[in-house]
Amino acid sequence: MNKKLIITFTVGVFLLGMMELIISGILELMSDDLGISHAMTGQLITVYAVSFAVFGPILVKLTENMRPKPVILASLILFILGNVIFGLSDTFIMLSAGRVVTAVAAAVFIVKIMDMTVLLSRPEIRGKMIALVYMGFSAANVFGIPIGTLIGQQFGWRVIFWLVIVIAILVGIGVLSLVPDKKGDDLGEPVPDKILDKRNVFLYIGVTMAVLIGNYIVIGYISPLMTSNGYTLGNVSIALLIAGAGGMTGTYIGGNLVDKIGSKKTIFYMLILFMISMAVLPFLYGTPMLFYINLFFWSVFQWSTSPAVQSGLVENVQGSAAMVFSWNMSGLNLGIGIGAVIGGIYISNFDISFAPWLSVLIVGLGLLSVSFVREHEEIV
């Protein structure tokens, strides 16, 4: 893969990551503007996640024999349409419709991008290439969400979505000029054949779901969590910036750890550290510096599992990884959606300050899941 194509793919993933996660940064702005409760506004995260999870595998299956370039371009056009609907909406129903359209487009786009990354990369550096492209998702936390939150505070939350449309058009131009108009078999890769170990694939997806459920119980409601503990919306932007920086760092560290100790061990160790960082968070609200430092490491540990899971999935398939990537992205979005639902129920009935302790229990299920993953030499 050449650098321009890597940048195009990374920016595309950045854009999708920003749109999926931006609600957590502008939740209170939208809620106050539209007269919708925080818990209800938070369910826009769920609408997106469930739409992505349900329609993603179906659409990937329907488009698997099509050339990826026109599919990627068509998904970008649909993504732009979804953002137009969202930016013009003034009711929860219309906002939800915009999220559904955007999610459907994103479900196809990101899987095709990740599969193209695998197909166009040399086997010995595929893990690194996957991490580089997927870093766009964590970069959305560093730049997209906090900057979007600040733009929303200054100019209104709708402006964010018009800016996204402009960037999406630029990504489309990059795809049009740089992506080869070929199918996987034309690129010298074997036709998708089989899953080598279904149990491993579903255990890795289980890790993804547990991590995202646990993470989004807190991150999905980071704005009310912080403001209820004496922080301002400006502090929320800072926290999201710090968390995003941790996410980029974690993605890079995770990719490198996979090359050194393997996918399973990387996930196992990072989940233990992730659970520790969540467990201590409620004790740090009164000390902003320690709160921000812990939030940084929280994101490092959480995001380091992403390239490890994806590398683990690639190791357990023969041929194209598009289908298992799609399943994993569905698991990711179901995790986000379930986390948002649980978080909404929790903050409506209990003290939001202690939500991280609930997350510890759920991420513990991911730790249990990865412990059952079989190493290659164990696969019969």
Side-chain angles (χ1 to χ4, degrees):
M1 289 181 67
N2 61 58
K3 292 182 179 179
K4 290 182 179 179
L5 188 55
I6 292 173
I7 292 172
T8 299
F9 283 178
T10 304
V11 172
V13 174
F14 166 88
L15 207 58
L16 301 187
M18 179 178 174
M19 283 302 93
E20 177 156 7
L21 305 172
I22 189 64
I23 298 299
S24 61
I26 61 173
L27 189 149
E28 290 186 280
L29 293 173
M30 293 182 63
S31 179
D32 294 342
D33 181 40
L34 300 174
I36 303 173
S37 70
H38 291 168
M40 179 63 75
T41 305
Q43 299 319 304
L44 290 171
I45 298 170
T46 305
V47 169
Y48 184 102
V50 172
S51 300
F52 193 116
V54 171
F55 294 111
I58 296 172
L59 292 174
V60 169
K61 183 67 176 178
L62 290 174
T63 59
E64 67 179 350
N65 293 321
M66 299 180 184
R67 296 186 180 276
K69 185 172 182 175
V71 173
I72 293 171
L73 288 171
S75 65
L76 266 177
I77 293 172
L78 193 60
F79 178 79
I80 290 171
L81 175 62
N83 280 283
V84 169
I85 294 172
F86 198 87
L88 294 175
S89 299
D90 56 9
T91 66
F92 182 79
I93 296 298
M94 285 300 296
L95 289 169
S96 297
R99 292 289 278 178
V100 170
V101 174
T102 304
V104 167
V108 176
F109 181 87
I110 193 167
V111 169
K112 293 296 183 180
I113 287 295
M114 296 306 297
D115 194 42
M116 285 289 289
T117 300
V118 172
L119 293 174
L120 294 172
S121 301
R122 299 194 308 275
E124 64 271 18
I125 61 169
R126 279 178 180 167
K128 180 180 179 181
M129 291 299 101
I130 289 172
L132 284 174
V133 172
Y134 201 74
M135 197 175 289
F137 206 84
S138 49
N141 284 278
V142 177
F143 303 109
I145 297 177
I147 290 175
T149 301
L150 290 172
I151 290 173
Q153 292 171 3
Q154 295 297 319
F155 304 104
W157 60 269
R158 297 178 192 273
V159 174
I160 300 167
F161 298 90
W162 305 123
L163 292 176
V164 165
I165 290 171
V166 173
I167 299 173
I169 292 172
L170 296 177
V171 171
I173 294 172
V175 169
L176 189 63
S177 60
L178 297 171
V179 173
D181 191 17
K182 299 179 180 180
K183 293 193 294 185
D185 49 332
D186 296 329
L187 296 169
E189 294 290 331
V191 175
D193 193 354
K194 63 180 180 179
I195 296 175
L196 301 177
D197 192 319
K198 291 183 179 179
R199 189 182 80 167
N200 276 5
V201 167
F202 288 110
L203 286 172
Y204 278 125
I205 294 172
V207 171
T208 295
M209 289 190 66
V211 168
L212 269 297
I213 292 172
N215 189 62
Y216 248 80
I217 286 174
V218 178
I219 292 297
Y221 298 92
I222 189 69
S223 181
L225 182 146
M226 290 183 64
T227 55
S228 67
N229 282 282
Y231 294 86
T232 66
L233 284 178
N235 295 144
V236 173
S237 297
I238 294 172
L240 290 170
L241 182 64
I242 291 171
M248 289 190 68
T249 304
T251 303
Y252 179 79
I253 290 174
N256 281 274
L257 281 175
V258 168
D259 293 335
K260 294 179 179 179
I261 64 175
S263 301
K264 180 178 179 177
K265 288 182 179 178
T266 297
I267 295 169
F268 191 83
Y269 295 141
M270 291 300 102
L271 287 187
I272 290 175
L273 294 172
F274 184 31
M275 292 169 68
I276 293 172
S277 68
M278 286 190 290
V280 302
L281 190 66
F283 300 106
L284 305 178
Y285 297 136
T287 311
M289 183 60 67
L290 293 179
F291 173 80
Y292 291 135
I293 291 173
N294 188 67
L295 191 62
F296 174 82
F297 284 108
W298 162 308
S299 293
V300 168
F301 303 142
Q302 188 242 311
W303 282 90
S304 63
T305 64
S306 295
V309 166
Q310 291 176 74
S311 294
L313 290 172
V314 172
E315 291 165 3
N316 284 278
V317 298
Q318 178 177 303
S320 172
M323 205 65 235
V324 293
F325 279 154
S326 178
W327 293 344
N328 188 58
M329 290 304 299
S330 290
L332 181 150
N333 282 277
L334 278 176
I336 290 174
I338 294 170
V341 169
I342 293 174
I345 294 172
Y346 186 93
I347 68 173
S348 298
N349 296 278
F350 305 100
D351 187 345
I352 192 174
S353 299
F354 300 103
W357 290 351
L358 176 58
S359 296
V360 171
L361 297 176
I362 293 173
V363 174
L365 297 177
L367 191 65
L368 181 64
S369 182
V370 75
S371 69
F372 286 106
V373 168
R374 294 187 292 191
E375 304 287 1
H376 283 293
E377 59 269 20
E378 300 173 330
I379 299 175
V380 178

